[in-house]
Amino acid sequence: MVRTNKDRFFLVSLLMLISASLSAKTKEYYLTLQNHVFVPSEIVIPANTKVKLVIVNKDDTMEEFDSFDLNREKVLFPGKKGHIFIGPLPAGRYEYFGEYFPNTARGTIVVEANHVD
Amino acid sequence: MRIVTLLLLMISGLVQADGIVVDKVYHPYVLPNETELEWRLLSRQTSENNLLGQRIAFGKAISERLMVEAYLVGEKTADEDFGLAAYELEFRWMLTEQGEKWADWAVMLEVEKIHRRNDWEVTSGIVFEKEFGRTSLTMNLFAVYEWGDTIKDEIEGEFRLKYRYRWIPELQPAIEVYSGEDFFGIGPAFMGIFRIDRQEQIKWEAGFISEISQSGKDHSFRLLLEYEF
């Protein structure tokens, strides 16, 4: 039961904290597929944190992002934007490739324990 | 709401299952444009009976999140030679993007008709998968409603579980658990993927499940081959 201004202050602070944590947005990282090459070829993300990888396919052909390391598969439609949720992951290097052009469409997600943007 | 009620009833143990529970643990994922041919085999040996079941299926993702599969089911029992036993239509609807929520979810609906008999079975349920590092826990919870001219109207419950270590794409060892009211089976299983070209790949699964809640012999071997293109 709220009795004093101090109690009210802590209650409001708690509610604001809960509200902020609920609305906290997953950090986004961007990747472009052009001429069947992922750019940049390496993206660094923090360890133990879920991130959203936004991928723009600028080619006029379909591609499929595939990574056994990341346990993800995603169809990338030509001229469209897609996204993949990654993590939380421990530090390490995680390879991925495009199923349609595996020789050129390749990249790495580097997960760093002491990552600073 | 009806599905939720059925699932709650099932969880509470008020419904019973007495059919063949060992089959396949479904994953919640659907990929757009995915087309597949599937073959499943189940060989079950008990003290009194041997049963051989096979099913072939054609599946196609008809939207970014909805997969439809049509099955022909064949069976050989102690009394009957191998032959067509049933037809089945299955819908799997992916509810969440992989990794988006705490776990990945899908819902399923299957409608099966027994060959040359007015007997039907409708299965609905939820499919769940959660990653823990390099391992994945997959669970299926189904409510099965049967009715028809030669079978008793009843609601059954089924639970399937797979805990898989994603070792290498071609070989991923797992433990599988299958449960109904009169069956509780557990055993080792394996799955893998061999890539051919682009979206072309072959998936395989095998499992050796032993019934452990009763003293009699009851072993099942299951095999699945899936060609995706």
Side-chain angles (χ1 to χ4, degrees):
Chain A
M1 193 170 157
V2 179
R3 288 178 184 167
T4 66
N5 285 339
K6 190 178 165 191
D7 289 342
R8 286 191 190 95
F9 171 76
F10 280 112
L11 181 62
V12 170
S13 301
L14 184 66
L15 288 172
M16 284 172 68
L17 197 65
I18 292 168
S19 165
S21 66
L22 288 174
S23 62
K25 209 173 166 213
T26 308
K27 190 164 172 49
E28 293 183 352
Y29 292 81
Y30 291 86
L31 198 57
T32 301
L33 179 69
Q34 193 161 21
N35 300 320
H36 314 301
V37 173
F38 286 110
V39 180
S41 62
E42 200 169 281
I43 286 181
V44 183
I45 66 169
N48 306 315
T49 308
K50 181 158 81 176
V51 305
K52 185 177 178 180
L53 189 62
V54 179
I55 310 171
V56 181
N57 182 2
K58 290 190 172 175
D59 288 333
D60 54 8
T61 54
M62 198 170 77
E63 184 54 280
E64 190 172 321
F65 179 101
D66 194 318
S67 172
F68 183 75
D69 291 351
L70 295 165
N71 192 30
R72 294 289 182 274
E73 273 185 290
K74 178 81 181 181
V75 172
L76 306 169
F77 291 102
K80 303 267 187 189
K81 191 191 282 185
H83 61 263
I84 298 169
F85 291 93
I86 298 174
L89 291 167
R93 294 177 68 83
Y94 299 80
E95 309 285 335
Y96 66 85
F97 68 97
E99 281 189 359
Y100 285 76
F101 296 91
N103 294 327
T104 55
R106 307 191 74 86
T108 308
I109 305 291
V110 180
V111 182
E112 285 187 350
N114 302 309
H115 175 69
V116 180
D117 276 325
Chain B
M1 195 63 209
R2 200 170 172 181
I3 292 171
V4 173
T5 308
L6 284 174
L7 289 170
L8 287 173
L9 280 169
M10 194 165 66
I11 291 165
S12 66
L14 293 174
V15 287
Q16 300 188 344
D18 51 18
I20 299 167
V21 183
V22 176
D23 187 3
K24 166 188 176 177
V25 182
Y26 286 90
H27 299 268
Y29 311 113
V30 173
L31 278 176
N33 301 329
E34 192 176 355
T35 308
E36 64 183 43
L37 287 171
E38 187 181 317
W39 172 72
R40 288 188 221 171
L41 176 139
L42 174 74
S43 173
R44 183 182 184 189
Q45 293 192 337
T46 63
S47 309
E48 305 86 33
N49 199 355
N50 288 340
L51 183 138
L52 181 72
Q54 292 189 62
R55 53 178 64 206
I56 53 169
F58 174 76
K60 173 96 184 143
I62 58 169
S63 77
E64 285 195 39
R65 293 190 169 205
L66 183 63
M67 184 83 179
V68 180
E69 281 194 74
Y71 291 87
L72 291 176
V73 182
E75 275 184 6
K76 176 190 174 299
T77 63
D79 308 321
E80 293 178 32
D81 289 335
F82 187 80
L84 184 62
Y87 329 96
E88 187 181 302
L89 199 58
E90 176 190 288
F91 301 87
R92 185 159 39 94
W93 181 29
M94 184 170 80
L95 297 176
T96 54
E97 284 278 335
Q98 196 173 6
E100 180 185 2
K101 308 286 184 192
W102 176 78
D104 307 322
W105 300 88
V107 288
M108 278 193 56
L109 178 71
E110 287 176 5
V111 181
E112 183 178 302
K113 184 192 177 298
I114 303 301
H115 182 50
R116 290 181 177 161
R117 292 209 307 260
N118 187 32
D119 293 335
W120 295 79
E121 184 180 292
V122 173
T123 303
S124 64
I126 51 175
V127 177
F128 161 102
E129 186 157 318
K130 169 74 179 163
E131 274 181 52
F132 298 97
R134 287 187 71 88
T135 65
S136 295
L137 176 67
T138 312
M139 294 191 288
N140 302 166
L141 192 58
F142 295 133
V144 185
Y145 177 48
E146 292 177 343
W147 77 97
D149 293 344
T150 63
I151 54 172
K152 196 176 74 174
D153 280 23
E154 61 178 355
I155 297 173
E156 304 174 329
E158 282 185 21
F159 174 72
R160 305 172 188 178
L161 179 151
K162 176 192 281 187
Y163 186 56
R164 168 173 58 114
Y165 176 60
R166 301 191 311 275
W167 182 37
I168 54 174
E170 295 80 11
L171 184 59
Q172 300 170 49
I175 291 174
E176 289 185 354
V177 175
Y178 294 86
S179 175
E181 180 65 25
D182 298 328
F183 184 96
F184 185 86
I186 186 167
F190 302 89
M191 65 173 282
I193 298 171
F194 291 92
R195 298 194 184 287
I196 303 169
D197 182 36
R198 302 190 170 198
Q199 275 195 315
E200 265 188 283
Q201 57 185 23
I202 289 176
K203 284 185 182 171
W204 69 278
E205 292 183 18
F208 310 89
I209 309 301
S210 296
E211 213 282 339
I212 56 170
S213 66
Q214 291 166 41
S215 57
K217 175 187 169 187
D218 190 346
H219 303 301
S220 296
F221 168 70
R222 75 173 193 90
L223 185 65
L224 177 151
L225 290 175
E226 190 178 291
Y227 172 56
E228 280 185 21
F229 55 101

